[in-house]
Amino acid sequence: MSLPSYPDASYPGQSPGRHDPYGGEAPVRTNGFAVAALVLGLIACLFFWTIVGGLLLGLLAVVLGVIAALRTRQGRAPRRGMAIAGTAFGVLGLIGSAIILVLAVSVLDSREFRNFESCVDKADSRAAEDRCSEDLIDELTN
């Protein structure tokens, strides 16, 4: 013989979805992946000019944001908007960091910078090094 099952009756003034049969409030569900994606995405956008800030944190924000969005689609976690925003900020940080990286590599690989390096190597005084810096600035502005 089994016990009868009764529907979950709520008290007046309480919403039936948040009622715990033991008298307390049901815990609020959170999505830690979405929160982490948003925080890392914002940090990636703020520090996109660094390799660690833009590339590494941006990539982590994108991965965690995608995981969080998949969890919200499956109904296992809330905060879909936060997951999407974290992913978007992560992508922006990645793009900004990639642009900075390409510009840095192109400057360091330029003919003007190689001329500057050889000039500084041959310089025997601080005045000669300063003249090399002035020559580099002249070459880049012309």
Side-chain angles (χ1 to χ4, degrees):
M1 179 154 108
S2 65
L3 295 173
S5 62
Y6 297 102
D8 186 22
S10 301
Y11 293 108
Q14 283 186 337
S15 63
R18 305 238 336 143
H19 177 68
D20 185 14
Y22 299 108
E25 286 287 318
V28 177
R29 292 181 0 174
T30 61
N31 190 348
F33 286 112
V35 173
L38 184 62
V39 169
L40 291 175
L42 287 171
I43 294 171
C45 282
L46 291 174
F47 295 105
F48 71 93
W49 47 272
T50 65
I51 298 295
V52 173
L55 290 179
L56 183 64
L57 296 180
L59 185 64
L60 280 172
V62 169
V63 170
L64 291 176
V66 168
I67 291 171
L70 291 175
R71 290 183 71 202
T72 59
R73 180 179 285 174
Q74 295 168 353
R76 297 187 313 172
R79 316 245 193 277
R80 182 171 177 84
M82 191 180 289
I84 292 170
T87 304
F89 282 130
V91 168
L92 288 175
L94 275 171
I95 291 171
S97 187
I99 290 171
I100 294 295
L101 187 64
V102 167
L103 289 174
V105 167
S106 67
V107 166
L108 294 177
D109 195 38
S110 67
R111 180 182 51 83
E112 291 87 2
F113 190 75
R114 280 182 267 156
N115 290 344
F116 172 72
E117 282 182 321
S118 66
C119 181
V120 170
D121 288 340
K122 294 175 187 175
D124 55 356
S125 68
R126 180 69 186 161
E129 290 176 1
D130 290 341
R131 183 65 192 149
C132 293
S133 298
E134 292 170 7
D135 290 343
L136 175 67
I137 291 170
D138 289 341
E139 286 182 24
L140 290 176
T141 57
N142 291 332

